[in-house]
Amino acid sequence: MDFKPKIIGFLCNWCSYAGADLAGVSRIQYPPNIRIIRLMCSGRVEPYFIFEALKSGIDGVIIMGCHPGECHYMTGNYEAEMKYQLLKSLLTYVDLDNRISLEWVSASEGIRFAEVVTNFTNSIQKLGPSPLKKIDKDSELLFNLNALQIAANDYRLRALIGRKRKILDEGNVYNKKYPKEKFEDLQETAIYDEYQKNRIILYLKKENLSVKDLSERLSIAPNKILEYIVDLRGEGLIDLKDIQELTPYYTAKQEA
Amino acid sequence: MDEIRIGVFVCHCGTNIAGFVDIASVEEYVKTLPHVVFTQRNLYTCSETGLLAIKNGIEENKLNRVIVAACTPRTHEPLFRGICSEMGLNPYFFEFVNIREQCSWVHQKDREKATLKARDLIRMGVARAALLEPLEKFQIDVKPSTLIIGGGISGMTAASNLANQGFEAIIVEKDIELGGQLRHHHKLYPGNMDSQEILSIIEEILKNPKIIVHTSSKIKDIDGYIGNFDITILKDEEEIKFGVGTIIVATGTDLLKPKGLYNYDGKKVITQKELELLFKKDQFNFKNIVMIQCVGSRNKERPYCSSICCMTAMKNARYIKEKNPDAEIIILNRDIYTSGTYQETYYRDARKMGIIFSRYNESKLPKVSEESVIYFNESMKEEIEIKYDLVVLSTPLISYGESKELSKMLKVPIDEFGFFLEAHVKLRPVDFSNDGIFVCGTCKWPANVPESISQGYAAASRVTRIISKDSFTVEGATAWIDQDKCVTCEICLKKCAYKAITRDEEERVIVRTVLCKGCGVCATTCPQHAIEIRHYTDNQVESQITALLEGDLVE
Ligand SMILES: Cc1cc2nc3c(=O)[nH]c(=O)nc-3n(C[C@H](O)[C@H](O)[C@H](O)COP(=O)(O)OP(=O)(O)OC[C@H]3O[C@@H](n4cnc5c(N)ncnc54)[C@H](O)[C@@H]3O)c2cc1C
Ligand code: SF4
Ligand code: SF4
Ligand code: SF4
Ligand code: FES
């Protein structure tokens, strides 16, 4: 059977949704795969929505908002872009980053709306069905995606993104302005660390493991694993379970 | 909780929808969805008959959720919400599904897929409808008065218009008197009217008991929201406080002083404004005049066209020529902008009068020396030297430095050049997106007097829409903070572009609902997930996502 992508579009009410309406009024034809969810602003798009969509087997997700400087709520689209970049970075770890897209479409760009949707649909068509469509509950992909979702939902990354603009524009608590590239490096590292830490937690929820076990499962050097373990214990998310033949075994607290 | 009873009204819109979507099969399908107790197809749901059908549907089937699958909520939602209200159903229990603009009209060649899509979209709407919650729009009192910042022609026009309708207007002007740029003008294009004639409005204003004028005053603080702004001004060092219901920003512009450009000295090389002052004082006595256009505009630093300088230069050149036909006037320009019939004729006549227009190129700017101007003539492709006894520079309107501070106090945006940004160029040209604040005149973008006056009228009429009523209805779909989850980190507080989030007396972080627009930025930012956006809750959005995939099981 030929593949018919299912695509969700999150559209802001003021520009992109109006642009979609204009495409309709102008009878511009485009592929029928997209299902639109209307939100007031692209800034309302929770990274978590996209994880939910991908996990349930949606083939592609596109977010659309007003052009920079034109958001009905002034800066909602900049917020959307920051969250989108976070998502993009997270999803590269599971190779799903090319299934999401962010585009600016104004209320007068009916033609552009149709083009954007057509191009995105074609690109998803080429990629083929989402690997999450027919997947068993224990697959590694789903496991990793869950770890990423928790990382995206968690306090650390959200607070980092939440403070990003302020840190870049006004400087940190020491009034030191951060160069953008430096912040981006820091953000990438934070994303990576949070991802790996959440993978550790998920593994330890399933069974008790040693540093060596974890090192093999995550393909990460033992000394790095040890660092994470120290952090996670400090945060009270995991515990030492027991020691067998001098090797410590860890477990995750269920509420973690 | 009461049983959820959803009614779905699927619209044919004549053949607009029914021509491309198999509506009958859609209706059959919708009947199978959870909580749907009633379905109906309507030829035109928005017609009298259609609306009556919804009313009867609600009554006869005890519906507590209503879905219309039809056109776009952007045009028809208020209508259907109104019907729900009429029937005693909270309007937020209404859900719109767009199967026309975003389905039947854009998939006209594929009936089968359009039909499937309509089914999906309605299924998503049904899932969401089941989770909708009633919300209250609430009313706030409105003070029937307006603060007008800036007493130029646009601000004065707005003030006098409001006062003549019986509303109080308070003008705050930083200068020692009213009038703005017009005070320095000589004659005015179009029509050659004396600027003093237009300025007679000042007397009217000062006499009008409905208008209070504060000159030599500046805004110190603005607090509150539509209907109830609290204003503090500084008038000669003295603080004055008062309240108003609405605000109009009419702060106009400064004119660029061409310091360091073309040997500007204010004597032999002057600006158009200074030239007009010479006319007014009857001190003009020059014969060989060179005018240079686009001085400090349409360049890298200020890429915009100031729009009034071409006409101003011609106006003044013509005046000189009329007084003294022997005067030699050359206007060096990059292009001449004369839109519309009047201005183009004005230009042609100027040429007939013997005023010379000659083009230079941005890459080879003219040079002004002690006695002559040397420029590269674009048409002849050669350098030309002209002797002068006066050079007049046409410099652009630029924003006042303090606009930035003002924009922060008002929480409204300005662009990179310091001009105020309206809510929408075409649809809401004199509104800000913040409720109750409006803008007119050149502080928004360079404009001439007729344009500034029209904008003054426009702003006044937008204001009366609000202050002619005793109260204003505020949107119910706003943010709400769960105090059990909030750790008062204040990240959201800084994110809200409307400053709607503050600390209350008990130091809790709360949303001031009247200020909140429901954009959702705070919610997606809060690290604790403590903020809920009413009517677009996480659960409601998630239900739409999951409902989409459930479809695969059915098909
Ligand atoms: C040399 C020249 C010649 C022109 N000739 C013509 C012409 O012939 N015909 C024509 O149609 N147009 C002409 N114009 C354009 C015309 O001047 C403007 O269109 C008009 O003056 C705009 O009116 P306004 O009320 O918007 O702004 P303004 O006239 O600039 O008035 C704004 C007022 O706000 C006050 N203000 C500013 N900031 C604050 C603040 N923070 N607090 C309190 N008060 C503040 C200012 O002091 C000023 O009084 C000319 C312009 C120039 C520069
Ligand atoms: S409700 Fe909308 S879709 Fe239905 S008839 Fe009216 S305009 Fe057409
Ligand atoms: S961001 Fe969240 S936790 Fe922080 S103050 Fe706002 S509501 Fe509270
Ligand atoms: S929803 Fe938007 S306007 Fe309302 S408090 Fe949050 S950020 Fe501010
Ligand atoms: S309203 Fe369109 S992006 Fe904010």
Side-chain angles (χ1 to χ4, degrees):
Chain A
M1 201 189 76
D2 67 333
F3 164 52
K4 299 192 200 84
K6 279 229 170 186
I7 293 168
I8 288 191
F10 291 103
L11 270 59
C12 83
N13 178 58
W14 304 96
C15 288
S16 43
Y17 194 92
D21 278 350
L22 180 63
V25 173
S26 327
R27 310 294 198 277
I28 305 166
Q29 306 296 300
Y30 55 84
N33 310 65
I34 190 166
R35 307 289 182 262
I36 288 167
I37 294 181
R38 168 174 163 252
L39 299 170
M40 280 303 123
C41 177
S42 63
R44 175 66 188 98
V45 178
E46 274 285 356
Y48 152 84
F49 296 159
I50 282 96
F51 279 103
E52 284 301 303
L54 291 174
K55 272 165 60 180
S56 52
I58 295 287
D59 299 297
V61 180
I62 185 163
I63 303 163
M64 293 188 218
C66 316
H67 285 277
E70 288 178 11
C71 169
H72 186 73
Y73 307 99
M74 295 189 257
T75 50
N77 45 7
Y78 294 114
E79 298 297 327
E81 188 165 26
M82 283 194 295
K83 276 148 202 159
Y84 175 76
Q85 279 162 359
L86 169 74
L87 258 174
K88 212 53 182 172
S89 300
L90 288 164
L91 289 175
T92 44
Y93 291 109
V94 285
D95 244 353
L96 291 174
D97 53 313
N98 45 12
R99 293 190 180 267
I100 62 169
S101 176
L102 173 72
E103 293 282 352
W104 310 134
V105 175
S106 80
S108 59
E109 293 177 328
I111 299 176
R112 185 175 140 72
F113 173 83
E115 275 168 13
V116 164
V117 172
T118 308
N119 292 342
F120 187 66
T121 311
N122 290 344
S123 79
I124 298 295
Q125 184 81 43
K126 265 198 210 114
L127 282 178
S130 160
L132 285 132
K133 229 172 205 151
K134 296 193 189 76
I135 209 162
D136 63 288
K137 284 221 311 279
D138 299 319
S139 84
E140 195 180 328
L141 176 59
L142 194 57
F143 178 89
N144 288 341
L145 198 59
N146 277 326
L148 289 168
Q149 180 171 14
I150 299 169
N153 245 355
D154 214 35
Y155 183 83
R156 276 156 200 279
L157 288 183
R158 281 176 80 97
L160 185 72
I161 300 293
R163 297 204 171 98
K164 180 172 180 175
R165 272 236 314 262
K166 190 170 177 295
I167 295 175
L168 291 181
D169 298 349
E170 295 166 28
N172 61 10
V173 276
Y174 310 107
N175 269 330
K176 235 179 86 190
K177 265 202 192 178
Y178 240 81
K180 194 160 186 265
E181 301 78 56
K182 209 170 147 198
F183 188 94
E184 239 111 69
D185 286 349
L186 186 120
Q187 181 178 320
E188 281 308 316
T189 319
I191 289 171
Y192 178 80
D193 288 347
E194 288 307 307
Y195 171 44
Q196 301 305 354
K197 283 197 219 166
N198 280 299
R199 284 175 80 199
I200 292 178
I201 294 175
L202 288 182
Y203 276 121
L204 295 182
K205 272 190 182 168
K206 286 204 277 192
E207 56 187 319
N208 303 337
L209 296 168
S210 68
V211 169
K212 187 160 166 282
D213 299 335
L214 283 166
S215 167
E216 276 160 17
R217 303 223 174 157
L218 276 81
S219 315
I220 291 176
N223 55 343
K224 189 75 197 164
I225 296 282
L226 203 56
E227 262 175 47
Y228 289 142
I229 295 272
V230 172
D231 274 6
L232 289 169
R233 284 189 72 181
E235 290 163 39
L237 296 170
I238 62 169
D239 264 339
L240 180 65
K241 183 71 182 173
D242 63 339
I243 298 181
Q244 294 171 14
E245 295 163 29
L246 293 178
T247 308
Y249 279 79
Y250 298 93
T251 182
K253 296 195 178 156
Q254 280 314 310
E255 70 274 12
Chain B
M1 205 179 79
D2 287 346
E3 178 204 0
I4 295 169
R5 302 178 62 82
I6 301 178
V8 183
F9 298 83
V10 189
C11 192
H12 284 235
C13 198
T15 56
N16 279 302
I17 298 174
F20 309 97
V21 169
D22 181 356
I23 293 289
S25 86
V26 168
E27 191 198 7
E28 282 316 301
Y29 169 74
V30 172
K31 283 185 199 301
T32 67
L33 295 172
H35 305 299
V36 174
V37 296
F38 179 72
T39 62
Q40 191 174 60
R41 286 183 278 143
N42 313 88
L43 189 55
Y44 293 102
T45 315
C46 60
S47 66
E48 279 303 317
T49 334
L51 298 180
L52 190 65
I54 298 183
K55 286 186 189 170
N56 291 338
I58 295 176
E59 191 165 291
E60 286 158 19
N61 303 284
K62 299 199 183 59
L63 301 180
N64 51 23
R65 304 286 192 284
V66 172
I67 295 179
V68 170
C71 44
T72 169
R74 288 182 52 89
T75 56
H76 283 56
E77 189 170 66
L79 176 70
F80 295 126
R81 276 189 172 174
I83 295 295
C84 290
S85 288
E86 260 182 58
M87 296 304 291
L89 191 63
N90 188 290
Y92 289 90
F93 277 142
F94 172 75
E95 174 67 11
F96 215 127
V97 178
N98 184 335
I99 58 168
R100 191 180 74 175
E101 277 82 346
Q102 299 182 7
C103 188
S104 72
W105 277 352
V106 287
H107 311 309
Q108 296 183 325
K109 294 188 198 100
D110 198 335
R111 190 177 177 85
E112 188 195 339
K113 286 201 181 128
T115 304
L116 277 178
K117 177 166 173 177
R119 285 167 46 158
D120 279 356
L121 290 172
I122 298 175
R123 186 175 62 250
M124 291 161 76
V126 168
R128 176 176 151 82
L131 298 177
L132 289 177
E133 282 162 27
L135 295 178
E136 291 309 322
K137 289 193 171 194
F138 58 94
Q139 310 263 319
I140 47 173
D141 294 341
V142 171
K143 292 202 177 93
S145 57
T146 306
L147 162 68
I148 295 168
I149 310 175
I153 191 63
S154 62
M156 290 191 293
T157 305
S160 106
N161 185 266
L162 287 169
N164 291 340
Q165 295 182 69
F167 299 109
E168 182 178 283
I170 302 160
I171 301 181
V172 173
E173 166 59 55
K174 66 173 181 179
D175 226 331
I176 50 167
E177 52 182 318
L178 297 174
Q181 287 294 346
L182 268 181
R183 285 197 290 139
H184 314 291
H185 299 350
H186 176 234
K187 300 275 180 199
L188 290 180
Y189 76 83
N192 221 25
M193 188 185 201
D194 208 284
S195 67
Q196 289 312 312
E197 246 177 275
I198 291 196
L199 283 179
S200 61
I201 187 179
I202 295 179
E203 269 158 60
E204 254 174 69
I205 294 221
L206 293 174
K207 269 193 291 192
N208 197 319
K210 285 277 176 192
I211 305 177
I212 300 169
V213 177
H214 295 292
T215 45
S216 307
S217 303
K218 64 180 269 205
I219 307 286
K220 184 162 178 250
D221 191 42
I222 298 174
D223 200 15
Y225 41 80
I226 181 169
N228 301 278
F229 290 104
D230 299 314
I231 314 293
T232 313
I233 65 166
L234 267 184
K235 184 173 187 176
D236 303 319
E237 309 287 299
E238 185 202 347
E239 245 184 44
I240 303 177
K241 286 179 192 281
F242 54 88
V244 289
T246 49
I247 299 175
I248 295 176
V249 180
T251 51
T253 49
D254 208 349
L255 188 71
L256 178 75
K257 264 234 186 254
K259 277 191 203 121
L261 294 174
Y262 301 103
N263 282 334
Y264 168 73
D265 60 3
K267 293 184 196 99
K268 276 182 74 185
V269 183
I270 64 175
T271 61
Q272 293 287 355
K273 187 169 168 176
E274 289 158 347
L275 174 63
E276 293 194 27
L277 285 176
L278 290 182
F279 293 159
K280 280 175 86 137
K281 291 194 246 162
D282 215 3
Q283 286 172 354
F284 181 82
N285 193 5
F286 298 93
K287 225 185 133 264
N288 296 308
I289 299 114
V290 181
M291 293 187 179
I292 305 178
Q293 299 303 104
C294 302
V295 173
S297 60
R298 298 176 69 214
N299 57 12
K300 242 204 180 128
E301 190 188 351
R302 256 174 246 99
Y304 63 87
C305 163
S306 171
S307 90
I308 52 119
C309 339
C310 283
M311 284 298 286
T312 301
M314 277 187 264
K315 168 186 78 175
N316 292 336
R318 288 173 53 138
Y319 179 73
I320 298 169
K321 212 56 178 164
E322 273 159 22
K323 291 273 160 197
N324 174 12
D326 292 337
E328 299 278 352
I329 310 172
I330 177 161
I331 301 182
L332 301 182
N333 61 84
R334 284 167 52 198
D335 312 278
I336 289 289
Y337 281 171
T338 50
S339 57
T341 48
Y342 172 84
Q343 304 200 36
E344 185 64 14
T345 317
Y346 200 80
Y347 169 50
R348 283 170 200 233
D349 291 349
R351 298 188 78 129
K352 276 190 211 138
M353 289 166 79
I355 297 163
I356 298 166
F357 292 81
S358 184
R359 285 184 61 188
Y360 72 89
N361 188 307
E362 196 197 354
S363 59
K364 292 196 193 101
L365 296 179
K367 288 188 190 65
V368 179
S369 65
E370 273 297 302
E371 274 155 11
S372 62
V373 176
I374 299 170
Y375 80 104
F376 186 81
N377 184 308
E378 263 304 299
S379 331
M380 281 145 71
K381 299 280 175 221
E382 64 178 349
E383 213 156 68
I384 291 183
E385 180 169 3
I386 327 158
K387 294 261 183 263
Y388 72 85
D389 49 24
L390 183 71
V391 172
V392 187
L393 305 177
S394 293
T395 54
L397 300 178
I398 56 168
S399 64
Y400 284 111
E402 60 255 47
S403 294
K404 196 163 183 186
E405 203 187 321
L406 191 60
S407 83
K408 280 203 181 130
M409 277 193 256
L410 290 159
K411 292 148 201 157
V412 300
I414 48 175
D415 71 9
E416 55 189 309
F417 310 110
F419 291 105
F420 287 94
L421 268 177
E422 64 283 79
H424 194 286
V425 209
K426 298 185 208 83
L427 303 176
R428 296 172 65 196
V430 296
D431 299 9
F432 281 115
S433 45
N434 308 37
D435 288 329
I437 311 180
F438 303 85
V439 59
C440 62
T442 50
C443 62
K444 199 165 74 91
W445 208 235
N448 60 22
V449 171
E451 284 159 356
S452 302
I453 291 179
S454 329
Q455 290 181 24
Y457 281 127
S461 88
R462 295 295 285 169
V463 160
T464 45
R465 270 177 73 241
I466 297 165
I467 57 177
S468 58
K469 300 193 189 103
D470 299 336
S471 63
F472 181 82
T473 311
V474 185
E475 179 54 47
T478 51
W480 172 80
I481 299 179
D482 183 345
Q483 296 300 333
D484 290 341
K485 290 188 189 162
C486 173
V487 295
T488 65
C489 68
E490 294 201 351
I491 290 184
C492 57
L493 206 128
K494 300 193 175 76
K495 281 283 155 164
C496 177
Y498 298 91
K499 309 266 190 307
I501 307 183
T502 50
R503 292 262 188 180
D504 68 0
E505 312 84 58
E506 291 161 48
E507 287 298 298
R508 293 179 307 186
V509 175
I510 54 144
V511 177
R512 281 163 85 187
T513 316
V514 270
L515 290 179
C516 173
K517 305 276 175 211
C519 68
V521 163
C522 54
T524 56
T525 304
C526 171
Q528 300 291 343
H529 302 265
I531 309 182
E532 190 81 276
I533 303 297
R534 296 186 177 113
H535 209 54
Y536 292 92
T537 65
D538 286 358
N539 282 346
Q540 288 165 355
V541 179
E542 207 189 317
S543 73
Q544 288 173 276
I545 302 171
T546 19
L548 174 52
L549 260 290
E550 278 162 16
D552 280 359
L553 310 175
V554 182
E555 278 158 31

